[in-house]
Amino acid sequence: MALVTTKKMFEKAFEGGYAIGAFNINNMEIIQGVVAAAKAQNSAVILQVSKSALKYAHPKYLKAMVDAAIEETGLDIALHLDHGSDFEVCKDCIEYGFTSVMFDGSHLEYEENVAQTKRIVEYAHERGIVVEAELGKLAGVEDEVNVDAAHATYTDPDQAVDFVKRTGVDSLAIAIGTSHGAYKFKGEAKLDFDRLATITEKLEAAGFHNYPIVLHGASSVDQRCVAMCNEYGGNIAGAKGIPAEMLRKASSMAVCKINMDTDLRLAMTAAVRKSFGDEPAAFDPRGYLGAGRALIQELVEDKIKNVIGSTDSMNQTP
């Protein structure tokens, strides 16, 4: 198929009551594991790159590997910048061939977030690229994003409508209780579905039909991978993510994109640790990285089938 924007993906997802998985990539094995899973499930997929991943792997390498994945699998794939910190980062990724960028101005004062988001939207739209933005602050740590719980704020529904109107942004990441990293909840997990429904209803009333909402910090923190890490020398105590049933409910509502990064990191780490634990004399990277790739594929297939519900989305007409 092709390297595409998320526009048609989200139209199909909203109508179909499912979400598209957005999986963070850092190297070849992660890309291969994710796209092999999407291919096996005949699902469209979003591969996204953080600012730290850009530094680690360089956008030219990442773009070339994504192009190879499209050629090999025939999938529709969107290449997305995750948590772009400023105009220049977004501009650079657009010039490198990304089809979607996120500007994260959630740390800014509201009017400054509006102004900077609008500038990026105008630049991107002139080039046929879509933009995601964020309103509200998620707690947790992921790469260069670090917000403590005391400074996390949920998204205000009326402000969300005003923000979309004034910026023209194509999708909006909201804060309803998810958080970045492997330690999302100390007690019982809870997402504010009433707030999600209110935001959707107000956007619809304002003329934004089937407007796509995004959830960041939405890894389930797969307990099998956590246990495997700890069994083979890790120290990941008390890690806790978003229950799968909550993510499935969100996917059946207005949430069209669900971000998952921590789960992939845990799967890769668990498989590599197990490889070294089972074969202490091994030193061929193809062995332990290949094991990581296989476990990522298994995990992503499960997410597509049982969490976000996007199996066979490649066959769905908009």
Side-chain angles (χ1 to χ4, degrees), residues 281-296:
F283 58 88
D284 185 345
R286 293 170 295 187
Y288 54 82
L289 292 178
R293 177 176 60 190
L295 188 54
I296 284 174

Side-chain angles (χ1 to χ4, degrees), residues 71-312:
E71 184 177 349
E72 182 182 27
T73 63
L75 292 171
D76 282 340
I77 295 177
L79 179 56
H80 175 74
L81 169 65
D82 188 28
H83 289 288
S85 57
D86 53 46
F87 177 84
E88 290 303 321
V89 172
C90 293
K91 177 176 177 289
D92 288 345
C93 285
I94 291 169
E95 291 178 355
Y96 278 118
F98 284 47
T99 56
S100 174
V101 296
M102 180 210 179
F103 170 63
D104 183 0
S106 60
H107 60 288
L108 301 171
E109 293 295 328
Y110 179 68
E111 288 299 329
E112 184 63 19
N113 190 2
V114 168
Q116 292 199 31
T117 301
K118 183 177 180 181
R119 180 187 178 202
I120 291 167
V121 167
E122 289 172 349
Y123 182 87
H125 283 185
E126 288 174 357
R127 291 154 180 82
I129 306 303
V130 296
V131 180
E132 172 190 327
E134 183 168 334
L135 196 60
K137 295 180 183 178
L138 272 67
V141 179
E142 181 183 12
D143 288 345
E144 297 179 6
V145 179
N146 188 339
V147 178
D148 62 43
H151 292 93
T153 56
Y154 281 16
T155 304
D156 177 83
D158 291 319
Q159 196 173 67
V161 174
D162 180 71
F163 187 84
V164 172
K165 280 182 179 178
R166 293 171 62 188
T167 63
V169 71
D170 300 284
S171 60
L172 185 65
I174 63 171
I176 59 169
T178 59
S179 63
H180 293 295
Y183 303 90
K184 300 184 186 299
F185 298 101
K186 291 183 179 178
E188 182 182 355
K190 184 177 180 181
L191 297 185
D192 191 343
F193 290 108
D194 290 341
R195 186 178 299 269
L196 170 59
T198 300
I199 290 170
T200 303
E201 291 163 5
K202 286 181 176 287
L203 284 167
E204 184 74 26
F208 298 100
H209 181 61
N210 288 1
Y211 189 84
I213 299 298
V214 177
L215 282 188
H216 285 237
S219 285
S220 298
V221 185
D222 186 89
Q223 291 302 301
R224 185 183 59 147
C225 292
V226 172
M228 190 184 299
C229 284
N230 292 337
E231 180 182 353
Y232 289 92
N235 183 22
I236 305 173
K240 189 175 182 181
I242 311 297
E245 60 271 18
M246 289 187 177
L247 295 176
R248 189 69 199 96
K249 180 176 179 179
S251 301
S252 71
M253 298 171 70
V255 172
C256 296
K257 175 175 178 274
I258 291 183
N259 288 14
M260 300 181 196
D261 184 10
T262 299
D263 276 332
L264 302 186
R265 298 184 187 196
L266 286 170
M268 176 63 77
T269 302
V272 170
R273 282 189 176 277
K274 184 176 186 301
S275 292
F276 286 136
D278 290 344
E279 298 183 60
F283 58 88
D284 185 345
R286 293 170 295 187
Y288 54 82
L289 292 178
R293 177 176 60 190
L295 188 54
I296 284 174
Q297 178 179 348
E298 180 184 328
L299 181 138
V300 172
E301 282 201 57
D302 178 69
K303 301 291 186 188
I304 290 171
K305 287 188 293 184
N306 300 316
V307 180
I308 59 177
S310 63
T311 297
D312 289 329

